[in-house]
């Protein structure tokens, strides 16, 4: 039984934009958080232009229908979970890009994949740094909506640092241009930055102006294994206090073994921790940094240290690190955490997770963007085992509480979505939560944009 | 005749915090925009702690009294202009700093000078990059309130890129903590970034957590003179398309001559333009970049090119560039512009300003942070000459209109303040202006925070 208002929307948009076929709808119900409470939307709407997004939102406001904006659905916090009676607004058809090599900017529609942006700008000798592990399958619009992180953030910062301008469509259908291809612009409030990371709760991003860098120099890579997690974490801080590595990644014993099970690379299965680090400093400085990191790792008791300036060899280790999540996932279903702490608390966080795993009798593998203190504890469980599932869910919350107790955050780069909403108010405190609500109320007074995410 | 509510405030704060002595008040009436319409405040309040700032704002809300937050009063857009019947809230007594070398962050109160922050972190081998030309006399709180720029932005970004967390006091006296010493944190809306650049209109910043970098490597400096402004601007784009200079500054003929009048450095008085560029890439890459830039400058017709890896020699040219504003100021009073354009429009902007200067029969000297397209046309006039003053004021607006016509902004790094408010709505457009107003209304419903600035 279609919603009585739906034909009005369909008639205002190009043929095929509004989809109600249940088979087509099904994969739009969830993102990669696989929220079991996901609803069934009235329709998936796939606009190709800003004006069509405006039409959708005007209609949604008129009929008080919830709109869930969606990129490629790779989010891990449930921020693109469909609602019963709502619509899903997918940006997948919005795929234009224009690169300006003189201003070193690109104007991009939200549906392009991160990897496609990287490729298009590389054709002009330029580089878009942000590199979430899902870069080959996630959309740039989703990256902006979640202020996505990645591996290179330790040196190059996060998505917001590359967003110079946005076009957004507000809940009432108004299209607004914010910022643009200017490296400095302080005219009015910093609204561009406010929309980055707003998870579809303040507006729908229909165009973005990205800041680009010259092509990244080839990296030198250092891989080290440690007998102790604490020693590895202390080595991380010793590195970042002195130099700016382009990558500084951590895998614990469970992750090393899970990857080795699949890739058979000859990783040391007895190691407690492995670091994969890189420097992309130019000329001989990259090799110097690699040597410095190797020396720091050795001083901190590394058992094996391997350095290479061969990009393919280096990439093999980065790929191993990127492969850790699917490799651990082979052991069972995952609850994927995303807590971050100040770097000085990294060792305590990992130790605390280990203690929790023992206490709750669970396998929890920790991988981390160690250089910026952002960790992904992977809680393995069997959904067919209700007791284990309950223990896993309990551990999921306890890890956030552990991180907050260490001065950390409940989410470093994945976003709050629906999954982490129950912990947000405690983390932010009543004053900051109220401030969030005031902004939300000012921009989306009817609450039609992604209700249940963040708020 | 003191305001009847003032004794209530005085009684709630430590002795000496509320100042009403007219001789002490006088210098707090204006900032460096020297707004002739500045009022006389009821009092200057100089709190030392966040709790005292809360007391002030609770009182101001209760009595509907306007509060003008003030750092060191070095702003150039009149954002710290006192109002009749209002108070000035000076952060000058809030001067604590704590540096954490492990997390590479500093927690700073707003009244510390930018130069003092740089010095305190340098003692730990760390570096706070943002470097407005006024860095020796401007406060870090003011830098954050205006999202200040500077010379190193072309490579290192602007103030917001270094702000990880804030404590702000809202109009109603609520203190809110946003963000903190975590390099990645996406829990809730990006409110930290919203307050950066809000020019005291949304809240009073009482503490900031800054991201720091390892100490900057020594720079190699290249100075070149050109017979044509256009050739110099084209050389700028040719450089930034390929490498990341740490500085890329421009001075026109008038600025060169004004500096030479004072400093007698032997600058080429017949040159149309001079570029001062630097690379701080490590090892031999800095010298390589300097060589590359020198070659680009030569290709673009530079008349003289001088390179040095000696830091003192390099600093002499940077100092000359920094000295350009006072040197031009020796020719008369200044209206100091701050327009920015996409880099591809830089030559057209400078040519347009030259044409305007001829048309309005004015001396307008252009200096620029050329690498990021941010220019400071300096309009020289004699305030005793009403006709000239009127032409200067007219040119001030026309330069903004010129920049906006070239895809640029009315303010790159100084802020809107009171001075540029008349041009803001046209620049932003009605939709973005309305969005600014909605946020302002949500956070400061009574409009007591810095009324007349931005809004």
């Amino acid at each position: 039984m279609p919603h009585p208002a739906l034909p009005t929307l369909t008639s205002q948009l190009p043929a095929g934009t509004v989809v109600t076929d249940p088979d087509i709808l099904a994969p739009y119900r969830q993102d990669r958080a696989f929220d079991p409470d996901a609803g069934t939307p009235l329709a998936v709407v796939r606009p190709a232009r800003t004006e069509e997004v405006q039409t959708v939102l005007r209609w949604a406001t008129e009929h008080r229908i919830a709109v869930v904006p969606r990129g490629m659905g790779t989010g891990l916090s449930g921020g693109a979970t469909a609602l019963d009676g709502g619509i899903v607004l997918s940006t997948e058809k919005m795929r234009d890009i224009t690169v300006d090599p003189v201003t070193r900017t690109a104007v991009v529609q939200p549906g392009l994949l991160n990897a496609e942006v990287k490729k298009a700008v590389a054709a002009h000798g330029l580089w878009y740094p942000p590199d979430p592990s899902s870069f080959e399958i996630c959309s740039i619009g989703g990256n902006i909506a979640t202020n996505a992180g990645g591996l290179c953030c330790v040196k190059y910062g996060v998505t917001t640092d590359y967003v110079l301008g946005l076009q957004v469509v507000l809940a009432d259908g108004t299209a607004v241009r914010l910022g643009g291809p200017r490296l400095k612009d302080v005219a009015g409030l910093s609204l561009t930055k406010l929309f980055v990371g707003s998870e579809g709760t303040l507006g729908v991003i229909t165009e973005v102006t990205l800041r680009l860098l010259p092509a990244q120099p080839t990296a030198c890579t250092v891989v080290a294994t440690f007998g102790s997690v604490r020693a590895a974490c202390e080595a991380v801080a010793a590195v970042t206090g002195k130099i700016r590595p382009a990558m500084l990644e951590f895998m614990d014993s469970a992750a090393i073994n899970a990857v080795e099970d699949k890739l058979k690379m000859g990783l040391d299965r007895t190691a407690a921790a492995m670091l994969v680090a890189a420097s992309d400093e130019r000329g001989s400085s990259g090799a110097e940094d690699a040597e410095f990191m190797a020396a720091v790792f050795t001083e901190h008791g590394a058992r094996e240290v391997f350095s290479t300036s061969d990009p393919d060899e280096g990439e093999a280790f980065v790929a191993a690190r990127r492969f850790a999540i699917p490799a651990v996932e082979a052991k069972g279903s995952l609850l994927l955490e995303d807590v971050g702490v100040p770097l000085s608390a990294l060792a305590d966080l990992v130790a605390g997770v280990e203690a929790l795993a023992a206490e709750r009798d669970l396998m929890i593998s920790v991988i981390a963007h160690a250089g910026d203190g952002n960790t992904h504890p992977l809680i393995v469980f069997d959904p067919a085992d209700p007791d284990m599932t309950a223990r896993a869910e309990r551990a999921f919350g306890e890890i956030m509480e552990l991180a907050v107790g260490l001065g950390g955050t409940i989410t470093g780069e994945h976003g709050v979505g629906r999954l982490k909403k129950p912990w947000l108010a405690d983390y932010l405190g009543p004053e900051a939560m109220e401030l969030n609500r005031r902004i939300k109320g000012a921009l989306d007074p009817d609450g039609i944009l992604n209700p249940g995410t963040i708020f």
Side-chain angles (χ1 to χ4, degrees), chain A:
Chain A
M1 177 65 188
H3 191 278
L6 210 50
T8 329
L9 179 64
T10 307
S11 69
Q12 292 179 73
L13 291 169
T17 305
V18 179
V19 178
T20 55
D21 178 335
D23 291 342
I24 301 182
L25 290 196
Y28 289 90
R29 292 181 59 245
Q30 296 173 314
D31 58 19
R32 296 208 163 208
F34 300 110
D35 188 334
D37 300 327
T40 299
L42 300 175
V44 172
V45 186
R46 298 186 288 202
R49 299 153 42 83
T50 299
E51 293 74 10
E52 293 169 17
V53 175
Q54 292 182 269
T55 300
V56 176
L57 286 167
R58 274 189 218 110
W59 171 87
T61 286
E62 185 187 342
H63 299 283
R64 296 289 187 278
I65 286 173
V67 176
V68 176
R70 181 185 177 95
M72 292 304 288
T74 58
L76 295 163
S77 295
T81 302
L83 302 170
D84 285 329
I87 59 163
V88 172
L89 193 165
S90 167
T91 58
E92 72 200 87
K93 289 194 178 166
M94 304 181 78
R95 293 179 41 79
D96 286 347
I97 182 167
T98 316
V99 182
D100 179 347
V102 175
T103 61
R104 239 168 50 197
T105 57
V107 175
V108 191
Q109 284 191 317
L112 218 61
L113 303 184
N114 175 302
E116 293 172 322
V117 173
K118 284 185 191 295
K119 196 175 164 193
V121 308
H124 296 269
L126 295 171
W127 178 40
Y128 174 67
D131 60 346
S133 291
S134 57
F135 75 102
E136 288 170 305
I137 54 169
C138 62
S139 73
I140 192 79
N143 289 179
I144 291 157
T146 54
N147 191 14
L151 280 63
C152 75
C153 308
V154 59
K155 180 169 184 178
Y156 290 100
V158 294
T159 299
T160 194
D161 299 319
Y162 295 88
V163 180
L164 294 176
L166 291 174
Q167 186 175 43
V168 295
V169 177
L170 304 180
D172 64 5
T174 308
V176 186
R177 284 200 174 276
L178 303 168
R182 294 166 293 272
L183 294 177
K184 289 174 176 168
D185 187 356
V186 294
L189 299 174
S190 304
L191 299 182
T192 305
K193 299 284 189 189
L194 176 64
F195 279 88
V196 179
S198 61
E199 302 190 39
T201 65
L202 301 182
V204 178
I205 295 160
T206 61
E207 188 186 284
V208 53
T209 304
L210 297 173
R211 180 170 77 95
L212 307 170
L213 298 186
Q216 186 180 27
T218 310
C220 292
T221 307
V222 186
V223 184
T225 53
F226 294 81
S228 136
V229 163
R230 185 162 294 273
C233 292
E234 284 168 0
V236 167
V239 165
T240 59
K242 293 293 176 193
I243 64 163
R244 299 182 69 195
M247 182 177 64
L248 191 36
E249 296 288 315
F250 171 98
M251 290 163 65
D252 73 357
S253 163
I256 296 167
N257 278 282
V259 169
E260 185 60 19
D261 285 352
K262 293 284 181 181
L263 299 186
K264 320 257 185 243
M265 295 174 71
L267 301 179
D268 177 3
R269 286 180 177 279
T270 68
M274 182 167 111
L275 295 178
V276 183
S279 168
D280 64 358
E281 292 288 312
R282 286 165 45 198
S284 58
S285 302
E288 258 170 46
D289 278 2
E291 205 175 312
F292 171 78
M293 291 192 284
V296 169
F297 297 161
T298 302
E299 273 166 39
H300 284 78
R303 303 208 301 209
E304 272 191 286
V305 180
F306 171 76
S307 294
T308 176
S309 59
D310 180 277
D312 293 338
E313 266 187 340
E315 185 49 37
F317 286 100
V318 182
R321 160 59 190 86
R322 283 192 203 274
F323 190 65
I325 295 180
V328 174
E329 205 162 13
K331 310 291 177 192
S333 289
L334 291 190
L335 280 178
L336 204 159
E337 253 301 349
D338 175 40
V339 291
V341 286
L343 205 49
S344 46
L346 182 62
D348 289 342
L349 177 66
V350 181
V353 172
E354 281 178 351
L356 258 171
E359 193 184 332
R360 300 269 164 242
D361 189 21
L362 290 163
M363 175 181 177
I364 307 181
S365 171
V366 178
I367 57 174
H369 309 304
D372 46 32
N374 179 212
T375 72
H376 297 309
L378 310 171
I379 308 169
V380 183
F381 70 105
D382 175 1
D385 178 342
D387 179 66
M388 192 186 207
T389 303
R391 280 181 282 128
E393 285 170 356
R394 187 155 171 191
F396 186 74
E398 287 169 333
I399 289 172
M400 281 187 268
E401 287 149 21
L402 170 67
V404 172
L406 292 167
T409 176
I410 61 169
T411 175
E413 57 179 12
H414 292 170
V416 174
R418 304 176 78 81
L419 201 60
K420 299 206 152 192
K421 192 180 51 160
W423 288 270
L424 183 65
D426 270 358
Y427 168 58
L428 291 181
E431 297 85 5
M433 194 65 219
E434 167 59 18
L435 199 52
N436 273 269
R437 282 197 203 98
R438 279 206 230 171
I439 300 288
K440 169 74 171 173
L443 267 57
D444 179 21
D446 300 322
I448 64 160
L449 282 168
N450 216 0
T453 284
I454 303 182
F455 301 100

Coordinates of all heavy atoms in Angstrom, one line a residue, chain A residues 238-284:
Chain A
A238 N 56.8 7.8 21.2 CA 58.2 8.2 21.0 C 58.4 8.7 19.6 O 59.2 9.6 19.3 CB 59.1 7.1 21.4
V239 N 57.7 8.1 18.6 CA 57.9 8.5 17.2 C 57.2 9.8 17.0 O 57.7 10.8 16.4 CB 57.3 7.4 16.3 CG1 57.1 8.0 14.9 CG2 58.3 6.2 16.2
T240 N 55.9 9.9 17.4 CA 55.1 11.1 17.0 C 55.5 12.3 17.7 O 55.3 13.4 17.3 CB 53.6 10.9 17.2 OG1 53.4 10.6 18.6 CG2 53.1 9.7 16.4
G241 N 56.2 12.2 18.8 CA 56.8 13.3 19.5 C 57.9 14.0 18.8 O 58.2 15.2 19.0
K242 N 58.5 13.2 17.8 CA 59.7 13.8 17.2 C 59.5 14.0 15.7 O 60.1 15.0 15.1 CB 60.9 12.7 17.3 CG 61.4 12.6 18.7 CD 62.0 13.9 19.3 CE 62.4 13.7 20.7 NZ 62.8 15.0 21.3
I243 N 58.8 13.1 15.0 CA 58.7 13.3 13.5 C 57.2 13.1 13.2 O 56.3 12.8 14.0 CB 59.5 12.2 12.8 CG1 59.0 10.8 13.1 CG2 61.0 12.4 13.1 CD1 59.4 9.8 12.1
R244 N 56.9 13.4 11.9 CA 55.5 13.2 11.4 C 55.4 12.1 10.4 O 55.4 12.3 9.2 CB 55.1 14.5 10.7 CG 55.1 15.8 11.6 CD 54.7 17.0 10.9 NE 53.3 16.9 10.6 CZ 52.6 17.7 9.7 NH1 53.3 18.6 9.0 NH2 51.3 17.6 9.5
P245 N 55.2 10.9 11.0 CA 55.0 9.7 10.1 C 53.7 9.9 9.2 O 52.7 10.5 9.7 CB 54.9 8.5 11.0 CG 54.4 9.1 12.3 CD 55.0 10.5 12.4
A246 N 53.7 9.3 8.1 CA 52.5 9.4 7.2 C 51.5 8.3 7.5 O 50.4 8.4 7.1 CB 52.9 9.3 5.7
M247 N 51.9 7.4 8.3 CA 51.1 6.3 8.8 C 51.7 5.6 10.0 O 52.9 5.5 10.0 CB 50.9 5.3 7.6 CG 50.0 4.1 8.0 SD 49.9 3.0 6.5 CE 51.6 2.4 6.4
L248 N 50.9 5.2 10.9 CA 51.4 4.6 12.1 C 50.3 3.7 12.7 O 49.5 4.1 13.5 CB 51.9 5.6 13.1 CG 52.8 5.1 14.3 CD1 53.7 4.0 14.0 CD2 53.6 6.3 14.9
E249 N 50.3 2.4 12.2 CA 49.2 1.5 12.4 C 49.6 0.4 13.4 O 50.8 -0.1 13.4 CB 48.7 0.9 11.1 CG 48.2 1.9 10.1 CD 46.8 2.4 10.6 OE1 46.0 1.6 10.9 OE2 46.6 3.7 10.6
F250 N 48.6 -0.1 14.1 CA 48.8 -1.1 15.2 C 47.9 -2.3 14.9 O 46.7 -2.2 14.6 CB 48.5 -0.5 16.5 CG 48.5 -1.4 17.7 CD1 49.6 -1.6 18.5 CD2 47.3 -2.2 18.0 CE1 49.5 -2.5 19.6 CE2 47.3 -3.0 19.0 CZ 48.4 -3.2 19.9
M251 N 48.5 -3.5 15.1 CA 47.6 -4.7 15.1 C 48.0 -5.6 16.3 O 49.2 -5.7 16.6 CB 47.9 -5.6 13.8 CG 47.4 -5.0 12.6 SD 48.1 -5.7 11.1 CE 47.5 -7.4 11.2
D252 N 47.0 -6.1 17.0 CA 47.4 -7.0 18.1 C 47.6 -8.4 17.7 O 47.4 -8.7 16.5 CB 46.4 -6.9 19.3 CG 45.0 -7.5 18.9 OD1 44.9 -8.1 17.8 OD2 44.1 -7.5 19.8
S253 N 47.9 -9.3 18.6 CA 48.2 -10.7 18.3 C 47.0 -11.4 17.6 O 47.3 -12.1 16.6 CB 48.5 -11.4 19.6 OG 48.4 -12.8 19.5
A254 N 45.8 -11.1 18.0 CA 44.7 -11.8 17.3 C 44.5 -11.3 15.9 O 44.3 -12.1 15.0 CB 43.4 -11.4 18.1
A255 N 44.8 -10.0 15.6 CA 44.7 -9.5 14.3 C 45.8 -10.1 13.4 O 45.6 -10.5 12.3 CB 44.8 -8.0 14.3
I256 N 47.1 -10.1 14.0 CA 48.2 -10.7 13.2 C 47.9 -12.1 12.8 O 48.1 -12.5 11.7 CB 49.5 -10.7 14.1 CG1 49.9 -9.2 14.5 CG2 50.6 -11.4 13.5 CD1 50.9 -9.1 15.6
N257 N 47.4 -12.9 13.8 CA 47.1 -14.3 13.5 C 45.9 -14.5 12.5 O 46.0 -15.3 11.6 CB 46.8 -15.1 14.8 CG 48.1 -15.5 15.4 OD1 48.7 -16.4 15.0 ND2 48.5 -14.7 16.4
A258 N 44.9 -13.6 12.6 CA 43.8 -13.7 11.7 C 44.2 -13.4 10.3 O 43.9 -14.1 9.3 CB 42.7 -12.8 12.1
V259 N 45.1 -12.4 10.1 CA 45.6 -12.0 8.8 C 46.5 -13.1 8.3 O 46.4 -13.5 7.1 CB 46.4 -10.7 8.9 CG1 47.1 -10.4 7.6 CG2 45.4 -9.5 9.2
E260 N 47.4 -13.6 9.1 CA 48.3 -14.7 8.7 C 47.5 -15.9 8.3 O 47.9 -16.6 7.3 CB 49.3 -15.0 9.8 CG 50.4 -16.0 9.5 CD 51.3 -15.6 8.3 OE1 51.3 -14.4 8.0 OE2 51.9 -16.5 7.7
D261 N 46.4 -16.3 9.0 CA 45.6 -17.4 8.6 C 45.2 -17.3 7.1 O 45.1 -18.3 6.4 CB 44.3 -17.4 9.4 CG 44.5 -17.9 10.8 OD1 45.6 -18.4 11.1 OD2 43.6 -17.8 11.7
K262 N 44.8 -16.1 6.7 CA 44.3 -15.8 5.4 C 45.4 -15.6 4.3 O 45.4 -16.1 3.2 CB 43.4 -14.6 5.4 CG 42.1 -14.9 6.2 CD 41.1 -15.7 5.4 CE 39.8 -15.9 6.2 NZ 38.9 -16.8 5.4
L263 N 46.4 -14.7 4.7 CA 47.3 -14.3 3.7 C 48.6 -15.0 3.6 O 49.4 -14.9 2.6 CB 47.6 -12.8 3.8 CG 46.5 -11.8 3.8 CD1 47.0 -10.3 3.8 CD2 45.7 -12.0 2.5
K264 N 48.9 -15.8 4.7 CA 50.2 -16.6 4.8 C 51.4 -15.8 4.3 O 52.1 -16.1 3.3 CB 50.1 -17.8 3.9 CG 48.7 -18.6 4.0 CD 48.8 -19.8 4.8 CE 47.5 -20.6 4.8 NZ 46.9 -20.6 6.1
M265 N 51.6 -14.6 4.9 CA 52.7 -13.7 4.6 C 54.0 -14.0 5.4 O 55.0 -13.4 5.1 CB 52.3 -12.3 4.9 CG 51.2 -11.7 4.1 SD 50.8 -10.0 4.8 CE 52.2 -9.1 4.2
G266 N 53.8 -14.9 6.4 CA 55.0 -15.2 7.2 C 55.1 -14.2 8.4 O 56.2 -14.0 8.9
L267 N 53.9 -13.7 8.8 CA 53.9 -12.8 10.0 C 54.2 -13.6 11.2 O 53.9 -14.8 11.3 CB 52.6 -12.1 10.1 CG 52.1 -11.3 9.0 CD1 50.7 -10.7 9.3 CD2 53.1 -10.1 8.6
D268 N 54.8 -12.9 12.2 CA 55.2 -13.6 13.5 C 54.0 -13.9 14.3 O 53.5 -13.0 15.0 CB 56.3 -12.8 14.2 CG 56.7 -13.4 15.6 OD1 56.2 -14.5 15.9 OD2 57.5 -12.7 16.2
R269 N 53.5 -15.1 14.4 CA 52.3 -15.4 15.1 C 52.5 -15.3 16.6 O 51.5 -15.3 17.3 CB 51.9 -16.8 14.8 CG 51.2 -17.0 13.4 CD 50.8 -18.5 13.2 NE 50.2 -18.7 11.9 CZ 48.9 -18.4 11.6 NH1 48.1 -17.9 12.5 NH2 48.4 -18.7 10.4
T270 N 53.7 -15.3 17.1 CA 53.9 -15.2 18.5 C 54.0 -13.8 19.0 O 54.1 -13.5 20.2 CB 55.2 -16.0 18.9 OG1 56.3 -15.2 18.4 CG2 55.2 -17.4 18.4
A271 N 54.0 -12.8 18.1 CA 54.1 -11.4 18.5 C 52.9 -10.9 19.2 O 51.8 -11.3 18.9 CB 54.4 -10.5 17.3
A272 N 53.0 -10.1 20.2 CA 51.9 -9.5 20.9 C 51.3 -8.3 20.1 O 50.2 -8.0 20.3 CB 52.3 -9.0 22.3
A273 N 52.2 -7.7 19.3 CA 51.7 -6.5 18.6 C 52.6 -6.3 17.4 O 53.8 -6.7 17.4 CB 51.8 -5.3 19.5
M274 N 52.1 -5.6 16.4 CA 52.8 -5.3 15.2 C 52.5 -3.8 14.9 O 51.4 -3.4 15.0 CB 52.4 -6.2 14.0 CG 53.2 -6.0 12.8 SD 52.9 -7.3 11.6 CE 52.0 -6.5 10.4
L275 N 53.5 -3.1 14.5 CA 53.3 -1.7 14.0 C 53.7 -1.7 12.5 O 54.7 -2.3 12.1 CB 54.2 -0.7 14.8 CG 53.9 -0.5 16.3 CD1 55.0 0.4 16.9 CD2 52.5 -0.1 16.5
V276 N 52.9 -1.0 11.8 CA 53.2 -0.7 10.4 C 53.3 0.8 10.2 O 52.3 1.5 10.4 CB 52.1 -1.2 9.4 CG1 52.5 -1.0 8.0 CG2 51.9 -2.7 9.7
A277 N 54.5 1.3 10.0 CA 54.7 2.8 9.9 C 55.2 3.2 8.6 O 55.8 2.4 7.9 CB 55.7 3.2 11.0
A278 N 55.0 4.5 8.2 CA 55.6 4.9 7.0 C 55.9 6.4 7.1 O 55.3 7.1 7.9 CB 54.6 4.7 5.8
S279 N 56.9 6.8 6.3 CA 57.2 8.2 6.1 C 57.2 8.5 4.7 O 57.8 7.8 3.9 CB 58.6 8.5 6.7 OG 59.0 9.8 6.3
D280 N 56.5 9.6 4.3 CA 56.6 10.1 2.9 C 57.3 11.4 2.8 O 57.1 12.1 1.8 CB 55.1 10.2 2.4 CG 54.3 11.3 3.1 OD1 54.9 11.9 4.0 OD2 53.2 11.5 2.7
E281 N 58.2 11.7 3.7 CA 59.1 12.9 3.6 C 59.9 12.7 2.3 O 60.2 11.6 1.9 CB 60.0 13.0 4.8 CG 59.2 13.4 6.0 CD 58.7 14.8 6.0 OE1 59.4 15.8 5.7 OE2 57.5 15.0 6.4
R282 N 60.2 13.8 1.7 CA 60.8 13.7 0.3 C 62.3 13.5 0.4 O 63.0 13.6 1.5 CB 60.6 15.0 -0.4 CG 59.1 15.1 -0.9 CD 58.8 16.5 -1.3 NE 59.9 17.1 -2.1 CZ 60.1 18.3 -2.4 NH1 59.3 19.2 -1.8 NH2 61.1 18.7 -3.1
G283 N 62.9 13.0 -0.7 CA 64.3 12.9 -0.8 C 64.8 11.9 0.2 O 64.2 10.9 0.5
S284 N 66.0 12.1 0.8 CA 66.6 11.2 1.7 C 65.9 11.2 3.1 O 66.1 10.4 3.9 CB 68.1 11.5 1.9 OG 68.2 12.8 2.3

